[in-house]
Amino acid sequence: MTRLLLRGGRVVDPAARRDGIADLLVENGRLSRIGERLDAASADVVDASGKLVFPGFIDLHVHLREPGFEYKESILSGAQAAAAGGFSAVCAMANTDPVNDHRTVTRWIADRAREAGFSRVYPIGAITKGMRGEELSEFGEMKEAGAVAVSDDGRWVANGSVMRRALEYATLFDLPVATHAEDESLSGRGAMNEGRVSTRLGLSAQPAEAESIAVARDLTLCELAGGRLHVCHVSTARSVALIREAKARGVRVTCEVTPHHLFLTDEEVARSGFSTATKVNPPLRGERDVAALHEALLDGTIDALATDHAPHHADEKAVDYESAPFGLVGLETAASLFHDRLVRTGRVPVARMVELFSGGPARAFSLPGGGLVEGKDADFTVFDPAAEVEVDPRAFRSRARNTPFAGARLTGAVAATYVAGREVYRRP
Amino acid sequence: MTKAGLRSKDLLGIEPLDPEEIGLILDTAESMAEIGRREIKKVPALRGRMVVNLFFEASTRTRFSFETAEKWLSADTLNFAAKGTSVEKGETLLDTAKNLEAMSPDFLVIRHSSPGVPHFLASQLKTRVINAGDGAHEHPTQALLDALTIRQRKKSFENLKVAIVGDIAHSRVVRSNVWCLTKLKAKVTLCAPPTLMPVDIESMGVSATSDFEEALSGADVVMMLRVQIERGGKMAFPSSREYFARYGLTRERLALARPDAIVMHPGPMNRGVEISSEIADDADRSVILSQVANGVAVRMAVLYLLAGGTPRAWQEGA
């Protein structure tokens, strides 16, 4: 029997209303005890004093690019990046090649992730075949193969009837339907947020309403059809207001926010001199939207922090702004950014951070984890709140380097990540 | 600003320039204009220097204007147009630029349809970069030649009322002109149908209206812009006929401006869409061909100053 004793860390688990110094005893991959001064006999002892111990982080929205785009990221490199970011589990989006719209692809991804080790990888199946927005994929078979949600990822299901059927059909399997809310007839795939900055820079732009109109439709359809709607990377003031109202009415909706939408505005596009690392969809928004996201983070409207980790090869981003692909990487910077900008400054309590990184996402997609429970898998994240780090993309485990936070100096870093009691990352 | 010239190695836009730098370029251009009136139009100011004109987007006026300026300053020039080159074989923008840089040019003059390309290349290359128009962002030498033309006719910019009318949304000329004219303390009014007016444009320090008559009223300078159908302008109004009826510059409308108001256009003009032929060809009011002539002088001044030249020194070496 393998035994591990994590000694003397501050264990923060709002799901169990726990916040205090405690030991964690892990036996055969499971948490066998949480308590004070546990017996260390025959156990490997790890000193966690001065550190925070959280239930393992869960990221509902990452792109691992395999199969099909391994030159950007592979399941192995993505899972290593996740582990380095404190994520013991991630959900992999369906926009691979082939698209994950069939159980064979779903199972292949799940198997590859198991072989890779490191973080757990839960596949997300496509809502429609080929993500073309026309015919529903086989939700039931994909769920049996390991899918935890369905989503057409970067493509909004523009056809209202198809989306209605998706929400209705998903109720059979209790699968959340995750929506990328963007009315492309309005956004026109604009390269940045429409506003003062896009006007100054002359870049093609998408109005915030392209998102909120899509959110309003999807919420309305969810009320009509039933089911569980999950709004991906919510980024506008109007969107969060709509979700807040819908939740109050009892609509089964959850939503996520990304660190870049919390910590950057569209001014960053100008400040960075058109750096394509700032090109992301939904685009970086204005100050008013960012303020609304912070408010929604505190009042519980936002359920989860998700990175929308979107690796791209350097050559693909080394082009002009309008031609560059959307997306930035986030797995390895999310926790430090969140801690430095919000927890350290006292704006968000540490327990809320744990909720957003672990409990909230687990509940949104009905995933294992999200709390530290005796008898369950020992997935946890050890965080050093005093560590000083500088974001250095060259040191990323991810194959990609496309981050707008390069060079940022942050306080707080993931010290170690454990999956089923196994250390999958330790900070060098 | 150093005593000698401009602060930056590049000219990426008007936004980063201060009024003194703009004044220096205009003064230098004024003296350069004299070369164009000589029988032998050549001075040795850039002898032994090489300029690569990198035009990823179609251009007649700007490309020939730069080339003329380069030749009058005795620079060697290479012309690159995306068609018929390695770009068609799939070479990336950066690789193309780096390959050209390896031939050690002193300047890259860049025109591209995407905003920010000159900034991107300037950040990657050591060669001096001049923005010859980047998408709907900036066209700094156009604004400078416009400013020179206005200064020649109106002497001072202070409280000068400038109306810029047409496709504001898709125009790089308007953004550079707004930066330039407001830095020089002119009062700028932008006018377009709401469909061609970008959001929050007033944040650039201008007033905006969709009422053409209001914009024209009391204007000292009327600058007309082309509707850029190719950049999405076609969704903005139902027909050229209706556009001309609302926003076309005619003699009757021009009567609302000051009697000595000048009419400008960066070209190419769509006669009968934004401007009537009668006005375009009216030598008393239209300064459109002066703009073109001043373009050469301004581009000479920019090349010369970025090369480290000091005002007037070129004449000593001439």
Side-chain angles (χ1 to χ4, degrees), chain A residues 194-196 198-204 273-274 315 317-323, chain B residues 15 93-94 112 114-117 119-120 136-137 175 179 198-201 203-204:
Chain A
E194 183 177 286
R196 200 174 42 163
S198 68
T199 289
R200 208 167 88 210
L201 299 182
L203 277 168
S204 64
F274 294 88
D315 288 351
K317 281 284 196 178
V319 295
D320 64 280
Y321 202 88
E322 298 213 319
S323 309
Chain B
E15 188 183 0
L93 172 70
L94 187 57
H112 200 282
S114 181
V117 165
H119 307 69
F120 167 59
H137 180 221
R175 287 167 178 78
W179 292 123
V199 299
D200 293 336
I201 189 81
S203 66
M204 291 181 74

Side-chain angles (χ1 to χ4, degrees), chain B:
Chain B
M1 193 179 75
T2 62
K3 190 165 67 89
L6 304 173
R7 284 178 302 164
S8 169
K9 81 172 173 72
D10 311 298
L11 179 70
L12 300 179
I14 300 291
E15 188 183 0
L17 298 182
D18 59 36
E20 289 71 33
E21 289 176 292
I22 294 170
L24 173 67
I25 296 170
L26 298 188
D27 291 344
T28 308
E30 198 78 74
S31 66
M32 292 274 179
E34 180 261 322
I35 296 168
R37 293 189 286 271
R38 294 184 188 176
E39 194 176 346
I40 306 294
K41 300 175 181 60
K42 215 165 184 78
V43 295
L46 291 190
R47 192 165 54 198
R49 310 267 190 154
M50 184 162 78
V51 187
V52 174
N53 299 309
L54 252 175
F55 279 65
F56 291 93
E57 190 187 55
S59 165
T60 308
R61 213 174 319 265
T62 304
R63 186 160 66 84
F64 282 123
S65 182
F66 265 107
E67 217 183 323
T68 304
E70 291 151 13
K71 288 186 190 312
W72 287 4
L73 290 173
S74 303
D76 295 313
T77 61
L78 288 178
N79 287 310
F80 172 98
K83 199 165 170 51
T85 66
S86 50
V87 170
E88 286 194 333
K89 299 175 193 163
E91 187 170 68
T92 67
L93 172 70
L94 187 57
D95 283 340
T96 302
K98 282 197 163 163
N99 276 297
L100 290 167
E101 189 185 44
M103 298 171 202
S104 302
D106 297 280
F107 289 96
L108 288 178
V109 177
I110 298 168
R111 156 73 63 96
H112 200 282
S113 59
S114 181
V117 165
H119 307 69
F120 167 59
L121 294 182
S123 72
Q124 303 287 323
L125 306 174
K126 292 189 185 73
T127 309
R128 299 175 186 90
V129 171
I130 298 175
N131 181 359
D134 61 329
H137 180 221
E138 282 228 43
H139 192 354
T141 54
Q142 176 72 41
L144 291 164
L145 73 87
D146 289 339
L148 181 61
T149 309
I150 293 170
R151 195 173 80 169
Q152 286 165 348
R153 302 295 175 123
K154 299 292 173 190
K155 310 304 174 206
S156 165
F157 292 94
E158 197 112 2
N159 290 321
L160 197 73
K161 194 175 169 198
V162 182
I164 306 180
V165 186
D167 187 349
I168 307 295
H170 300 106
S171 173
R172 51 182 159 232
V173 173
V174 77
R175 287 167 178 78
S176 284
N177 261 301
V178 164
W179 292 123
C180 188
L181 293 167
T182 54
K183 282 173 197 276
L184 297 173
K185 302 212 178 335
K187 292 196 182 314
V188 179
T189 300
L190 305 182
C191 176
T195 48
L196 290 173
M197 187 72 86
V199 299
D200 293 336
I201 189 81
E202 291 95 338
S203 66
M204 291 181 74
V206 296
S207 52
T209 177
S210 290
D211 184 333
F212 192 14
E213 277 77 20
E214 180 193 318
L216 283 173
S217 173
D220 298 288
V221 176
V222 181
M223 189 182 294
M224 301 304 292
L225 301 173
R226 180 173 72 93
V227 177
Q228 300 190 45
I229 304 286
E230 73 279 11
R231 290 185 198 272
K234 69 174 177 294
M235 273 174 68
F237 54 90
S239 68
S240 298
R241 207 176 129 263
E242 184 153 305
Y243 184 85
F244 185 70
R246 295 265 164 187
Y247 294 98
L249 187 63
T250 58
R251 187 162 298 286
E252 298 71 45
R253 286 219 170 95
L254 186 56
L256 295 166
R258 288 177 57 92
D260 59 349
I262 56 170
V263 175
M264 308 181 79
H265 197 302
M269 280 187 285
N270 287 325
R271 291 166 183 259
V273 180
E274 69 263 1
I275 192 165
S276 69
S277 280
E278 187 189 11
I279 299 296
D281 298 331
D282 181 342
D284 292 334
R285 311 302 292 273
S286 163
V287 296
I288 294 168
L289 295 177
S290 301
Q291 290 174 266
V292 178
N294 282 331
V296 179
V298 157
R299 286 163 184 133
M300 287 167 79
V302 167
L303 286 159
Y304 175 73
L305 292 169
L306 288 179
T310 52
R312 298 272 162 198
W314 66 271
Q315 289 171 317
E316 290 149 25

Side-chain angles (χ1 to χ4, degrees), chain A residues 42-256:
Chain A
S42 73
D44 294 329
V45 178
V46 176
D47 179 17
S49 53
K51 309 281 199 303
L52 297 160
V53 181
F54 302 140
F57 295 160
I58 300 168
D59 191 339
L60 296 179
H61 192 156
V62 305
H63 299 267
L64 299 187
R65 305 298 190 203
E66 186 179 0
F69 307 101
E70 291 83 353
Y71 69 98
K72 297 178 193 240
E73 191 84 286
S74 65
I75 289 172
L76 173 61
S77 65
Q80 285 174 326
F87 293 95
S88 57
V90 295
C91 300
M93 268 298 176
N95 66 335
T96 47
D97 183 19
V99 169
N100 181 17
D101 59 0
H102 192 272
R103 64 175 171 178
T104 52
V105 185
T106 314
R107 180 153 292 142
W108 188 86
I109 293 170
D111 289 348
R112 290 282 292 172
R114 249 189 310 277
E115 289 163 20
F118 298 96
S119 296
R120 301 173 194 274
V121 175
Y122 300 113
I124 297 174
I127 299 172
T128 64
K129 290 176 187 163
M131 303 199 316
R132 285 187 291 272
E134 293 160 3
E135 295 170 79
L136 296 186
S137 309
E138 293 165 337
F139 293 3
E141 295 208 340
M142 290 194 301
K143 179 163 183 179
E144 282 166 18
V148 295
V150 289
S151 176
D152 273 1
D153 184 51
R155 295 190 188 163
W156 189 53
V157 178
N159 183 315
S161 293
V162 174
M163 187 61 171
R164 173 188 177 173
R165 298 304 175 213
L167 284 158
E168 285 171 344
Y169 189 59
T171 59
L172 272 179
F173 313 101
D174 197 30
L175 277 173
V177 179
T179 183
H180 168 104
E182 178 191 351
D183 181 341
E184 285 190 33
S185 69
L186 263 177
S187 68
R189 306 294 283 170
M192 70 173 295
N193 181 51
E194 183 177 286
R196 200 174 42 163
V197 185
S198 68
T199 289
R200 208 167 88 210
L201 299 182
L203 277 168
S204 64
Q206 40 178 303
E209 287 73 9
E211 177 180 306
S212 55
I213 285 169
V215 168
R217 189 211 67 173
D218 287 341
L219 287 168
T220 309
L221 285 177
C222 189
E223 284 189 271
L224 169 71
R228 294 160 66 187
L229 181 71
H230 177 77
V231 183
C232 297
H233 43 49
V234 63
S235 73
T236 80
R238 185 79 187 124
S239 298
V240 287
L242 287 162
I243 293 165
R244 187 181 290 121
E245 289 163 21
K247 282 189 166 187
R249 283 199 306 278
V251 180
R252 292 182 74 195
V253 58
T254 53
C255 69
E256 67 190 34

